[in-house]
Amino acid sequence: MELHRLLGVILYLTAILSLFCCPASVTAGDIVHDDDAAPKKPGCENDFILVKLQTWADGKESSEFVGVSARFGKMIVSKGKSANQTPLAVADPRDCCSMPKNKLSNEVIMVNRGHCKFTVKANYAEAAGASAVLIINNETELYKMVCDPDETDLDIQIPVVMLPQDAGASLEKMLMNSSSVSVQLYSPR
């Protein structure tokens, strides 16, 4: 268990370094590294925060991952003991660029990045009954999600978090090999 915690700390520190060591230019609707250059407007003005994702497979505590919250959506609670342990589901269609076929009952929904705006994915997931959205990046890096300047449908009331590609692969494997997988999202100060 100590090795598990040490690996979690290493992953957390790696995520912090990847967020602040690699400057990039900003284009609307994309992900950015530079917090000051990311557009802010009502409904799209959250600070970017690192988010811990603790998992349970078949009721047993399992892996921990680190993601980053979106500029939009509900803010993540800061204490693990205040965060709910919630079942994890996979979106169908996987990109969540249209209404998911699977009706959700407060599950955290895992979706793939690409094919539409992040806010479109979040709105469809919320309308389907998801309690949060995990957007799996198509790269190993951890990035920040922003809104397009012309977007108006920004009343998103669920948390939206991006996870790196390897975390998504691990969650997929966990879902295939377990009868139930649940997650807990929180952002330690």
Side-chain angles (χ1 to χ4, degrees):
M1 193 57 140
E2 288 301 316
L3 178 61
H4 177 74
R5 296 271 183 228
L6 178 61
L7 290 174
V9 169
I10 291 170
L11 180 62
Y12 188 74
L13 293 174
T14 302
I16 290 171
L17 288 174
S18 71
L19 281 171
F20 299 108
C21 294
C22 308
S25 63
V26 175
T27 58
D30 203 358
I31 45 185
V32 297
H33 293 285
D34 186 7
D35 193 33
D36 294 333
K40 282 187 176 184
K41 63 184 192 174
C44 192
E45 56 198 358
N46 293 348
D47 289 331
F48 298 119
I49 57 172
L50 290 176
V51 176
K52 281 193 173 186
L53 175 84
Q54 179 64 56
T55 63
W56 286 265
D58 296 326
K60 294 182 181 170
E61 191 170 317
S62 189
S63 303
E64 185 176 85
F65 304 102
V66 176
V68 66
S69 66
R71 178 71 86 195
F72 52 89
K74 184 177 177 182
M75 295 298 294
I76 308 278
V77 298
S78 63
K79 295 185 178 170
K81 62 184 174 187
S82 301
N84 294 326
Q85 188 175 327
T86 310
L88 180 65
V90 177
D92 178 20
R94 296 298 300 265
D95 62 10
C96 204
C97 291
S98 59
M99 182 60 89
K101 295 173 188 168
N102 45 334
K103 289 298 172 195
L104 304 168
S105 179
N106 234 21
E107 289 94 341
V108 172
I109 191 170
M110 186 168 69
V111 309
N112 292 340
R113 180 180 175 200
H115 304 118
C116 64
K117 297 175 184 178
F118 299 125
T119 53
V120 169
K121 295 174 187 296
N123 279 309
Y124 277 126
E126 184 175 19
S131 62
V133 183
L134 300 178
I135 297 178
I136 307 303
N137 197 9
N138 54 5
E139 299 177 13
T140 57
E141 289 85 10
L142 190 58
Y143 293 107
K144 300 174 184 177
M145 296 174 281
V146 298
C147 308
D148 277 336
D150 62 343
E151 287 187 85
T152 57
D153 196 7
L154 298 173
D155 188 28
I156 299 166
Q157 299 300 312
I158 59 174
V160 181
V161 175
M162 179 172 279
L163 291 174
Q165 188 177 41
D166 58 340
S170 295
L171 288 169
E172 293 258 353
K173 189 174 182 181
M174 209 180 288
L175 284 164
M176 289 187 328
N177 296 327
S178 306
S179 60
S180 70
V181 176
S182 58
V183 297
Q184 181 185 52
L185 299 167
Y186 64 100
S187 180
R189 301 263 176 230

